[in-house]
Each structure stands twice: as structure tokens, then as C-alpha cells.
């Protein structure tokens, strides 16, 4: 396998790995989105007895000298004392409080007079324990619209509340108030300031029984999980970009290599044609042997580039015939001992010619050993079995098939069955048995 093919294989495997990791992270990301959605939808409640410290409620009287006063013109036959109460909601969570409301339960008789920013949902229970309620903006109301119990004391509205009654403060959602959302500590420790004016005889109203309902909000990119997915997607995108770039570069180089390989192969074809042309009966013999050799190599499971090497080496297996006289190569009658000895030299001469060729693996071995026999009775060195390079054993079978499948000066081509019988008869003696088996399969499959 050449370096470009090897690189493409690495890129392909890396891409599969990145895609597999991406699929896993994508599934985790979907789960993360679902969990963030649940997190954002969940209503949370804290009371004065809650141990939660993410969000804190503090209701306390405002301490200024003008923040409490006595009111005698109430029309209720009694003097009342007013006091301003601050209601502060502080968000110590790392995420936004994007929705909230505060319920204050009343434990003593008092009057709700005024409040700022949001609206007040006032709940009263009449003597028959029937609940009535109305939501009012205490800064901007009309007496004619009030449906719950109230007193008008001069310019002031007094909403009477007794134990069991309660009011719910809904913050102003306009951008101006800053009550919704309340920023978290990740940016600035945010808080919402609201408050009420309460009237009572004593002037001290207990507002410590409350419930704050709120929802936190975070984006999918927040927190350690959000950071994990941000980094993961960045790394995945970068990996795919790098792999894609390397792939495009390798494809470009592969095109150049292929072009060079085609030029090289054309040169080999010219060389083998020169050798084959000296024998009238061997025209295009080398090219056919090269094709059969490649098919056998593929059948044996060799890599594509190894099959190409087998093809190129087989093209040149008879290059040594260039040194054998045409008189001998074209002789129609039986060769003399001396002439046969001369023919046999084409293996050694061919290997000497190819000894400096480095671009095709085993090309010298192919030329030198393709007439060796599996049982060790071949030439030029009498090697046997695994001593004979695989490429030479492959070419030996391909070479024999082409010889039997074409007319020769001293005989006609053999029939299909005759060729199969010859291979079976010489399996393990002349030819490598495993290669014969492979080639018999090829003959059957390809109807050779
Ligand atoms: Fe040969």
C-alpha cells in the first residue's frame, strides 16, 4: 500500500472515529437539552424555614424616621400606624431567576395600603369563609373597579386583611423595573427590591410567613456541562476540518501519483512488447499474464496496491527474452539442448536487467523465478515451495494458462477441460496447490 493510500485509510478510520464520538456527544447533547428544559420549567418554592441559599427573601421594616407614621383620619374610629416594609429577593444562584412571585400570609388584622413596581393579588375571606380576590396595581387604580373589601381613608386605600388572608406580589415584568429576571452571581449578584405600606393599630405587622415561588433559567451552554459541549463541538469541527483538508490534499497527490504510475506502466508495456514482439506466438503474452496474475492476487486477498505491483512485475517477467535470439524464439521445431539452455537464460538475464529497479517490489524475483517448480525441479536455481517468492508462483500459473490457452508452433491451444486437468495433474509438483485452487475457481467464475 503506498503512502497516499495508507494516509487515506488513516483519514477514513479517523473520520469514522470522530463521527462515532460525534454521535455519542450528540445523544448526550439532546439529553442535556431535555434536562435544561426541565431545569428551566421547574417551579421552586422557598419559605422562611427552607435551607436553600440560592435565592433569599428578606422582609423588614424600612428604618428611616419618615418611614412610619400615625394616621388618625381613617374613618375607622381608631388611629392607625403605618409602616413601610422592604421586600428584597436576592439571587445567589449562578443562573437567572426568570419568573417569580411572593405570597405573604397574614397572621393579624392589618391593612394593605400601597406597594410599588408590581401588582398585588389580594385574597380575602369573608365571614362565611368564602374567598374573594382581585389583582390590583396599587399605584394606579380606580375605586369603582375594586371588588374586594376596602376602606377609603382620605386619599388612601386600605385593603383590610385578617388572619388567613394573604396577598401575592407579582413583580413588574417591564424592562424598566429590573425585577424580572433577577441576574445571578455569575454576572452580578442581583436582587429585586419591592415593598408595601401596611397599616395596623400597633404599627408593626408580622410579614414573616411567606412563600417565594420561582424558576431558574440557564442556557444549554452554561455550567460545566455547557462548557463540555462547547469544547466538544469545537474539537469535532476542528477535527473534521483538519481531516477534510488532509483528505483533499491526499486526493490531489494521489492524482499526481496515479498519473506518474500510468506513465511508468506505459513504459513497462513498451518494454514487454519489445520482448514479446521477438516471438510471433508470444504477442501480448506478457500483458495477458500480467492480467491473470493480478486476478489471482486479488483472489488470494492481496491489497489493491500489492495487486498492482504483481501486475507491473508480471509485465516484465519475460524481459530477458530480449537477449534470446529470434531464431530460437521463432523456431517451429523442437529445440536442441543448447537452444533450450539458451532460452532458460532469459530468467537470469531478465533479473540482471531489473536488478536496479526499485519502484516495483519483487520485479527481479518475478523475472528470475517464474520458471521454478513447486517440487524444486524448475530453473534457474531449483528452488521449491516457499523458497519461491509468491509473485513467481502466481506468475507460473498465469504463464502456464496463457501458454495452454494459445496456439503454439508445435500444438494447438488446449480445451477448457484439458487445461483444468493439466493444472490438477501438476498441482503440488509444478504449481503451488493453493494458487491452482484459486485459479480453478477463477476459471469457473470467469468462464476462462
Ligand atoms: Fe518465461
Amino acid at each position: 500500500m503506498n503512502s497516499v493510500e495508507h494516509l487515506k485509510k488513516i483519514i477514513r478510520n479517523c473520520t469514522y472515529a470522530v463521527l462515532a464520538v460525534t454521535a455519542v456527544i450528540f445523544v448526550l447533547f439532546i439529553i442535556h437539552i431535555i434536562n435544561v428544559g426541565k431545569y428551566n420549567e421547574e417551579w421552586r418554592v422557598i419559605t422562611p424555614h427552607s435551607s436553600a441559599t440560592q435565592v433569599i427573601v428578606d422582609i423588614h421594616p424600612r428604618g428611616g424616621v419618615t418611614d412610619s407614621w400615625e394616621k388618625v383620619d381613617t374613618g375607622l374610629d381608631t388611629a392607625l400606624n403605618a409602616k413601610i416594609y422592604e421586600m428584597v429577593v436576592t439571587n445567589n444562584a449562578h443562573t437567572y431567576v426568570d419568573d417569580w412571585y411572593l405570597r405573604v400570609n397574614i397572621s393579624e388584622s392589618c391593612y394593605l395600603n400601597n406597594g410599588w413596581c408590581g401588582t398585588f393579588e389580594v385574597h380575602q375571606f369573608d365571614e362565611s369563609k368564602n374567598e374573594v380576590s382581585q389583582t390590583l396595581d396599587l399605584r394606579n387604580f380606580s375605586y369603582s373597579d375594586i371588588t374586594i373589601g376596602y376602606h377609603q381613608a382620605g386619599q388612601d386605600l386600605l385593603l383590610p386583611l385578617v388572619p388567613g388572608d394573604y396577598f401575592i406580589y407579582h413583580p413588574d415584568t417591564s424592562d424598566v423595573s429590573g425585577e424580572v429576571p433577577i441576574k445571578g452571581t455569575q454576572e452580578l449578584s442581583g436582587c429585586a427590591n419591592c415593598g408595601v405600606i401596611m397599616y395596623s393599630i400597633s404599627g408593626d405587622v408580622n410579614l414573616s410567613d411567606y412563600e417565594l415561588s420561582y424558576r431558574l433559567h440557564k442556557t444549554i451552554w452554561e455550567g460545566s456541562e455547557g462548557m463540555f459541549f462547547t469544547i466538544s463541538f469545537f474539537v469535532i469541527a476542528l477535527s473534521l476540518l483538519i481531516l477534510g483538508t488532509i483528505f483533499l490534499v491526499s486526493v490531489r497527490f494521489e492524482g499526481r501519483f496515479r498519473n506518474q504510475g500510468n506513465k511508468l506502466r506505459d513504459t513497462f508495456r513498451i518494454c514487454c512488447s519489445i520482448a514479446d514482439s521477438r516471438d510471433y506466438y508470444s504477442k501480448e503474452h506478457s500483458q495477458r499474464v500480467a492480467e491473470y496474475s493480478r486476478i489471482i492476487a486479488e483472489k488470494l486477498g492481496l491489497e489493491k496496491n500489492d495487486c498492482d505491483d504483481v501486475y507491473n512485475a508480471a509485465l516484465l517477467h519475460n524481459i530477458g527474452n530480449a537477449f534470446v535470439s529470434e531464431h530460437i524464439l521463432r523456431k517451429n521445431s523442437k529445440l536442441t539442448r543448447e537452444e533450450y539452455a539458451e532460452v532458460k537464460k532469459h530468467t537470469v538475464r531478465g533479473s540482471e536487467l531489473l536488478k536496479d529497479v526499485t519502484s516495483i517490489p519483487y520485479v527481479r524475483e518475478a523475472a528470475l523465478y517464474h520458471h521454478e517448480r513447486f517440487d524444486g525441479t524448475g530453473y534457474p536455481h531449483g528452488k521449491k515451495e516457499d523458497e519461491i517468492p509468491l509473485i513467481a508462483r502466481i506468475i507460473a500459473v498465469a504463464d502456464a494458462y496463457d501458454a495452454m490457452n494459445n496456439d503454439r508452433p508445435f500444438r494447438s491451444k488446449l480445451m477448457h477441460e484439458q487445461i483444468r486437468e493439466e493444472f490438477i495433474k501438476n498441482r503440488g509438483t509444478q504449481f503451488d496447490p493453493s494458487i491452482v485452487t484459486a485459479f480453478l475457481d477463477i476459471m469457473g467464475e470467469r468462464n476462462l
Side-chain angles (χ1 to χ4, degrees):
M1 183 180 293
N2 65 38
S3 55
V4 175
E5 284 291 333
H6 189 63
L7 181 61
K8 285 176 70 176
K9 187 175 182 180
I10 291 174
I11 293 170
R12 189 164 55 246
N13 291 338
C14 289
T15 304
Y16 288 152
V18 171
L19 291 178
V21 171
T22 303
V24 172
I25 289 180
F26 185 73
V27 171
L28 293 176
F29 187 60
I30 296 296
I31 295 171
H32 173 63
I33 291 174
I34 293 171
N35 288 335
V36 169
K38 289 179 179 176
Y39 179 90
N40 292 344
E41 287 298 317
E42 181 183 353
W43 277 101
R44 305 154 201 269
V45 177
I46 61 168
T47 67
H49 309 293
S50 299
S51 57
T53 57
Q54 282 189 321
V55 180
I56 296 171
V57 178
D58 181 23
I59 303 177
H60 60 272
R62 188 184 283 177
V65 293
T66 61
D67 295 330
S68 61
W69 60 90
E70 184 185 56
K71 189 172 186 65
V72 295
D73 57 340
T74 60
L76 295 175
D77 301 327
T78 183
L80 294 175
N81 291 285
K83 187 171 284 186
I84 298 175
Y85 290 86
E86 301 273 6
M87 299 192 300
V88 182
V89 180
T90 303
N91 178 17
N92 291 320
H94 288 276
T95 53
Y96 279 66
V97 171
D98 74 336
D99 198 3
W100 64 276
Y101 60 90
L102 178 64
R103 167 173 168 157
V104 179
N105 298 313
I106 301 301
S107 59
E108 59 188 292
S109 294
C110 59
Y111 298 91
L112 173 61
N113 166 235
N114 204 345
W116 49 91
C117 293
T119 58
F120 288 82
E121 182 183 330
V122 180
H123 292 252
Q124 297 172 332
F125 289 86
D126 61 19
E127 293 176 350
S128 302
K129 302 297 182 187
N130 294 319
E131 182 176 0
V132 291
S133 64
Q134 186 175 12
T135 300
L136 295 167
D137 182 346
L138 297 180
R139 300 158 300 173
N140 182 22
F141 63 90
S142 171
Y143 282 109
S144 61
D145 294 333
I146 300 176
T147 59
I148 56 175
Y150 72 95
H151 296 292
Q152 185 175 356
Q155 296 298 315
D156 291 323
L157 170 69
L158 298 179
L159 296 170
L161 298 170
V162 298
D165 291 349
Y166 61 94
F167 66 83
I168 298 173
Y169 176 78
H170 293 282
D172 190 343
T173 56
S174 69
D175 293 339
V176 178
S177 73
E179 293 183 316
V180 177
I182 307 174
K183 293 178 178 177
T185 54
Q186 203 167 35
E187 297 185 8
L188 291 171
S189 182
C191 63
N193 290 284
C194 50
V196 290
I197 300 174
M198 301 297 295
Y199 280 77
S200 66
I201 295 174
S202 67
D204 287 314
V205 180
N206 180 10
L207 299 179
S208 63
D209 184 9
Y210 61 80
E211 285 180 14
L212 176 74
S213 300
Y214 66 98
R215 290 195 299 195
L216 295 173
H217 178 87
K218 65 179 179 182
T219 70
I220 56 177
W221 307 111
E222 286 180 21
S224 56
E225 291 173 326
M227 179 74 75
F228 167 76
F229 287 112
T230 302
I231 294 173
S232 296
F233 286 130
F234 175 77
V235 171
I236 287 170
L238 188 64
S239 301
L240 291 176
L241 182 66
I242 292 172
L243 288 171
T245 304
I246 296 174
F247 179 76
L248 290 176
V249 171
S250 67
V251 167
R252 185 168 181 180
F253 273 102
E254 185 184 39
R256 290 186 181 180
F257 280 137
R258 186 177 293 127
N259 189 31
Q260 290 177 348
N262 289 338
K263 289 177 182 174
L264 198 62
R265 191 164 299 167
D266 288 345
T267 305
F268 294 156
R269 286 196 182 110
I270 292 170
C271 292
C272 73
S273 293
I274 291 171
D276 287 349
S277 67
R278 306 185 73 243
D279 178 356
Y280 174 80
Y281 290 98
S282 295
K283 285 205 185 307
E284 298 183 352
H285 163 77
S286 295
Q287 290 200 30
R288 292 193 299 270
V289 170
E291 276 299 335
Y292 299 142
S293 297
R294 189 215 297 269
I295 294 169
I296 294 171
E298 290 170 350
K299 186 71 175 178
L300 294 176
L302 271 62
E303 297 272 358
K304 179 181 180 305
N305 281 283
D306 294 332
C307 294
D308 288 343
D309 289 338
V310 167
Y311 177 88
N312 289 330
L315 272 179
L316 301 175
H317 77 284
N318 266 352
I319 192 72
N321 277 346
F323 299 101
V324 181
S325 81
E326 289 187 22
H327 160 70
I328 296 174
L329 289 174
R330 297 190 175 190
K331 187 174 180 181
N332 290 332
S333 55
K334 186 175 174 55
L335 298 178
T336 65
R337 180 177 297 187
E338 291 74 20
E339 288 169 338
Y340 187 51
E342 182 68 15
V343 167
K344 286 161 69 175
K345 289 179 182 175
H346 80 281
T347 55
V348 175
R349 287 174 171 169
S351 72
E352 288 173 350
L353 193 66
L354 298 169
K355 69 178 187 299
D356 294 326
V357 175
T358 57
S359 60
I360 312 171
Y362 307 113
V363 64
R364 193 187 72 83
E365 287 82 352
L368 184 60
Y369 298 120
H370 71 273
H371 284 293
E372 297 288 2
R373 293 170 56 105
F374 197 69
D375 59 5
T377 60
Y379 68 87
H381 297 312
K383 288 186 176 294
K384 64 179 180 179
E385 300 181 4
D386 290 347
E387 294 172 358
I388 309 168
L390 175 62
I391 193 168
R393 283 179 271 149
I394 290 173
I395 293 173
V397 172
D399 194 17
Y401 174 76
D402 191 64
M404 289 187 280
N405 195 43
N406 284 280
D407 293 331
R408 304 295 295 169
F410 42 87
R411 61 147 173 81
S412 299
K413 64 185 262 186
L414 302 187
M415 303 296 287
H416 177 87
E417 277 308 313
Q418 289 177 303
I419 294 174
R420 289 183 67 89
E421 287 171 8
E422 280 296 314
F423 275 125
I424 293 169
K425 186 174 72 177
N426 292 293
R427 177 157 53 186
T429 53
Q430 184 177 354
F431 306 114
D432 182 331
S434 62
I435 295 176
V436 168
T437 301
F439 193 70
L440 291 176
D441 288 345
I442 291 168
M443 290 180 68
E445 292 164 4
R446 297 179 177 246
N447 199 25
L448 293 177

